[in-house]
């Protein structure tokens, strides 16, 4: 095949024979034979498009044909997954086919040395996570001499769970930072000051009703009295906006800050630094929630990914916010970092000469894929008619009603010994549900940022008789759930 490519044939010319070879090799090596719908998926991926294949249709095996064909160019193919477990599993599992067919397979891990990474990227096929790929790119751009780089040119990438990586996390900046100033005193002072402030509090000028508006809302400074409807003014020290996740001092708060710091006007240019420390301390106390946005492990503040519920060890909030949270939690305040290099996933993946992806849910975001990445979505039919029932959404007017219905549903399934997997949007939501089930004495497993090391194992056993598993929406994505549990 490589010889024919060098003599002027294109990949499209080789496709039917190459795919046939892979289909046969997969059967000989793994005992798995591609279905016709998987061949269709493989062709869509080769065309640089997104293949939408329903859960359980075998996307991992589908990608092998396209990866093999494009690896023949010897420019390197990157298979991008959402976590290291999947990258390692697929590299080992599907790697048997590639090795049988004479191609080299590499796997890129966070803790690898530069030499190990270089070896992984030098392979015909490299399995890696999206974040590690981005960080390696940034480090390469900071390399002083070319020989220290680990990556080759970005030729072709197949992105698994493409909607999660290219849409949900697209605007997430990857930042490499270096040590900056290391004084903890201004953070501690701002933290002590913020603890003296009062949240939004309203007094009705007509009926005298007093009430707090502790919820993070998008209300302006003026709100209506719940009793008589008169306009009330906020007598607290700051304003909150939930949508933008903002919090800022009002006139009362600014006056208190000026008195506390012994300055004339907080808005003066020379006081900008003080204002910056106060704003961060406010955000740390009011917007950033422990167990939801971050957790504290061994006296260290660890960010929790809002999409996956996973711990993001080694990552820190920028512009002093992380230090403000450390001051709030009374743990050691580390030196503030300054940004040395940064890129978003959106900008990074557009650097590839050719890009394709696969997922179970992409058609709904097709407009975004086309506009940002010039990728269209093709829905691949299922191998057999779908017998699963995709029920329509249930809508509830109150959150309490929704939780009650969810718990009743879980209890009903548990009594029948029917396994249940519950997806939640964040760690605190999963814990809230867990607390209710504990009261009802329904045995269950919670999978979130606190025990992510067991992630794949817990999800694999979610199909056991009578199992109840509560997980964050991205946990264990790509792991097979077998009815009866996984005997291995």
């Amino acid at each position: 095949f490589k010889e024919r490519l060098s003599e002027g044939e294109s990949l499209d010319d080789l496709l039917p024979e190459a795919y046939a070879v892979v289909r046969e090799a997969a059967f000989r090596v793994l005992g798995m034979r591609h279905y016709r719908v998987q061949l269709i998926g493989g062709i869509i991926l080769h065309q640089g498009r997104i293949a939408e294949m329903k859960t359980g249709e075998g996307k991992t095996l589908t990608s092998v044909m396209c990866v093999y064909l494009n690896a023949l160019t010897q420019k390197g193919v990157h298979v991008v997954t959402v976590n290291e477990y999947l990258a390692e599993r697929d590299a080992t599992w599907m790697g048997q086919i590639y090795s049988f067919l004479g191609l080299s397979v590499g796997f890129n891990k966070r803790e690898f040395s530069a030499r190990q990474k270089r070896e992984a990227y030098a392979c015909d096929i490299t399995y890696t996570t999206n974040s590690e790929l981005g960080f390696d790119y940034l480090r390469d751009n900071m390399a002083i001499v070319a020989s220290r780089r680990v990556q080759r040119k970005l030729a072709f990438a197949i992105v698994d769970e493409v909607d999660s990586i290219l849409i949900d996390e697209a605007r997430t900046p990857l930042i490499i930072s270096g040590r900056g100033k290391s004084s903890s005193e201004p953070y501690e002072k701002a933290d002590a000051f913020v603890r003296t402030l009062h949240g939004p509090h309203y007094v009705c000028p007509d009926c005298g009703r007093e009430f707090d508006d502790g919820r993070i809302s998008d209300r302006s400074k003026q709100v209506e009295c719940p009793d008589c409807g008169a306009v009330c003014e906020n007598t607290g020290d700051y304003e909150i906006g939930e949508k933008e996740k903002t919090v800022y001092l009002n006139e009362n708060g600014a006056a208190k800050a000026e008195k506390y710091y012994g300055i004339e006007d907080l808005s003066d240019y020379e006081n900008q630094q003080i204002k910056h420390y106060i704003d961060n301390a406010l955000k740390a106390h009011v917007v950033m929630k422990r167990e939801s946005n971050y957790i504290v492990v061994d006296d260290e503040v660890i960010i929790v990914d809002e999409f996956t519920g996973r711990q993001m060890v080694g990552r820190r909030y920028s512009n002093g916010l992380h230090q403000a949270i450390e001051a709030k939690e009374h743990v050691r305040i580390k030196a503030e970092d300054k940004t040395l290099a940064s890129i978003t996933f959106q900008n990074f993946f557009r650097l590839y000469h050719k890009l394709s992806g696969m997922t179970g849910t992409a058609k709904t975001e097709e407009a975004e894929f086309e506009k940002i990445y010039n990728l269209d979505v093709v829905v691949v039919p299922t191998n057999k008619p779908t017998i699963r029932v995709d029920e329509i959404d249930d809508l509830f007017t109150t959150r309490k009603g929704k939780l009650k219905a969810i718990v009743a549903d879980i209890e009903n399934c548990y009594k029948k010994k029917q396994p249940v997997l519950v997806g939640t949007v964040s760690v605190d939501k999963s814990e809230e549900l867990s607390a209710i089930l504990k009261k009802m004495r329904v045995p269950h497993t919670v999978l979130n940022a606190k025990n992510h090391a067991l992630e794949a194992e817990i999800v694999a056993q979610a199909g056991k008789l009578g199992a109840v598993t509560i997980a964050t929406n991205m946990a264990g994505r790509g792991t097979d759930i077998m009815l009866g549990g996984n005997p291995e």
Side-chain angles (χ1 to χ4, degrees):
F1 284 145
K2 285 176 181 174
E3 205 173 287
R4 282 167 62 183
L5 273 178
S6 66
E7 285 167 5
E9 285 193 55
S10 69
L11 290 178
D12 290 349
D13 297 330
L14 299 181
L15 188 144
E17 291 172 65
Y19 277 28
V21 163
V22 175
R23 196 183 190 200
E24 178 61 26
F27 183 66
R28 291 190 192 186
V29 176
L30 300 178
M32 299 163 93
R33 188 170 174 80
H34 291 82
Y35 294 121
R36 289 178 181 185
V37 289
Q38 289 175 308
L39 294 171
I40 294 169
I43 293 166
I44 291 162
L45 291 175
H46 170 63
Q47 290 171 343
R49 303 159 91 178
I50 292 171
E52 178 180 297
M53 298 174 74
K54 285 263 185 291
T55 303
E57 285 294 299
K59 290 186 282 289
T60 307
L61 191 63
T62 297
S63 63
V64 175
M65 296 175 290
C66 172
V67 171
Y68 171 76
L69 178 64
N70 285 270
L72 295 171
T73 61
Q74 299 175 64
K75 290 177 183 171
V77 176
H78 295 163
V79 185
V80 187
T81 63
V82 286
N83 62 43
E84 280 190 352
Y85 160 77
L86 283 180
E88 191 165 12
R89 182 200 74 177
D90 294 353
T92 311
W93 187 21
M94 296 298 138
Q96 297 171 67
I97 301 171
Y98 303 127
S99 303
F100 179 77
L101 292 170
L103 292 176
S104 56
V105 186
F107 157 59
N108 177 29
K109 213 170 183 177
R110 198 164 77 92
E111 57 264 29
F112 277 3
S113 65
R115 185 182 59 79
Q116 288 172 304
K117 282 179 177 289
R118 209 170 288 117
E119 283 170 9
Y121 283 117
C123 291
D124 296 312
I125 299 143
T126 310
Y127 281 84
T128 181
T129 61
N130 51 327
S131 52
E132 209 42 44
L133 202 52
F135 280 125
D136 286 340
Y137 172 79
L138 290 178
R139 282 189 280 266
D140 277 2
N141 275 281
M142 291 165 63
I144 298 160
V145 287
S147 60
R148 288 195 185 169
R149 290 183 173 180
V150 297
Q151 289 181 347
R152 296 191 276 167
K153 277 189 177 172
L154 303 175
F156 177 44
I158 294 182
V159 183
D160 193 9
E161 309 296 358
V162 68
D163 54 327
S164 162
I165 294 171
L166 295 192
I167 301 289
D168 298 348
E169 296 186 49
R171 304 287 292 281
T172 308
L174 296 173
I175 298 169
I176 288 184
S177 46
R179 285 277 167 260
K181 304 187 291 295
S182 61
S183 172
S184 61
E185 190 266 331
Y187 294 106
E188 287 164 351
K189 190 172 181 180
D191 183 73
F193 165 64
V194 163
R195 287 175 193 272
T196 67
L197 300 178
H198 301 290
H201 181 78
Y202 300 88
V203 180
C204 178
D206 290 1
C207 68
R209 163 85 186 259
E210 286 193 40
F211 59 98
D212 285 333
D213 190 18
R215 291 174 299 106
I216 292 188
S217 64
D218 293 309
R219 293 175 177 172
S220 60
K221 195 173 180 184
Q222 296 181 330
V223 297
E224 288 180 0
C225 172
D227 289 352
C228 68
V231 171
C232 310
E233 291 237 341
N234 180 6
T235 59
D237 299 318
Y238 52 83
E239 310 291 335
I240 304 167
E242 184 180 35
K243 241 181 211 158
E244 324 82 74
K245 292 201 168 134
T246 54
V247 56
Y248 50 90
L249 292 178
N250 57 18
E251 286 158 29
N252 304 341
K256 283 187 178 179
E258 284 156 7
K259 191 178 173 188
Y260 186 88
Y261 280 90
I263 53 177
E264 259 183 56
D265 190 348
L266 185 63
S267 57
D268 280 352
Y269 180 74
E270 60 265 25
N271 297 325
Q272 286 302 297
Q273 201 62 36
I274 292 173
K275 190 174 181 304
H276 174 69
Y277 288 124
I278 293 172
D279 287 346
N280 270 334
L282 257 181
K283 192 171 181 182
H285 277 273
V286 181
V287 178
M288 308 306 285
K289 298 275 186 276
R290 185 169 174 164
E291 306 297 327
S292 176
N293 302 102
Y294 65 91
I295 53 177
V296 180
V297 181
D298 299 332
D299 267 359
E300 195 175 338
V301 172
I302 296 173
I303 300 173
V304 171
D305 188 323
E306 63 177 304
F307 300 110
T308 65
R310 292 194 184 100
Q311 294 178 23
M312 299 166 87
V313 179
R315 301 220 196 153
R316 293 173 67 79
Y317 291 115
S318 56
N319 295 329
L321 178 58
H322 211 96
Q323 285 75 9
I325 296 170
E326 287 168 336
K328 168 193 169 184
E329 296 294 344
H330 302 299
V331 299
R332 189 172 70 84
I333 299 171
K334 292 181 182 172
E336 192 173 334
D337 297 335
K338 55 174 192 268
T339 301
L340 303 176
S342 173
I343 195 168
T344 61
F345 287 129
Q346 195 178 87
N347 289 335
F348 172 69
F349 281 105
R350 282 157 64 184
L351 296 170
Y352 276 90
H353 178 66
K354 179 172 157 186
L355 182 65
S356 65
M358 49 192 183
T359 181
T361 48
K363 200 69 183 168
T364 45
E365 278 100 30
E366 185 169 25
E368 276 183 88
F369 281 123
E370 284 196 339
K371 190 178 169 190
I372 302 166
Y373 305 99
N374 202 20
L375 289 169
D376 64 333
V377 178
V378 185
V379 180
V380 180
T382 51
N383 182 48
K384 289 182 179 177
T386 306
I387 56 169
R388 185 185 64 219
V389 181
D390 288 334
E391 301 281 7
I392 56 166
D393 291 353
D394 284 344
L395 294 174
F396 295 87
T397 47
T398 64
R399 199 155 158 267
K400 203 175 176 184
K402 182 181 81 165
L403 280 170
K404 204 173 167 186
I406 292 169
V407 170
D409 230 354
I410 294 170
E411 192 180 24
N412 187 28
C413 291
Y414 175 69
K415 281 176 182 169
K416 292 189 289 183
K417 290 273 181 245
Q418 184 182 351
V420 188
L421 177 64
V422 187
T424 58
V425 290
S426 65
V427 177
D428 56 339
K429 295 268 193 301
S430 65
E431 306 234 311
E432 182 182 15
L433 209 50
S434 170
I436 301 169
L437 290 176
K438 269 181 193 156
K439 277 184 192 167
M440 296 175 68
R441 303 213 170 147
V442 174
H444 59 280
T445 309
V446 183
L447 171 58
N448 57 32
K450 293 179 181 174
N451 53 1
H452 68 134
L454 300 168
E455 187 175 291
E457 200 178 311
I458 292 170
V459 171
Q461 302 303 346
K464 270 189 177 172
L465 196 69
V468 178
T469 311
I470 301 170
T472 46
N473 59 352
M474 274 282 300
R477 206 167 167 162
T479 310
D480 283 340
I481 301 175
M482 297 181 189
L483 286 177
N486 190 327
E488 284 179 36

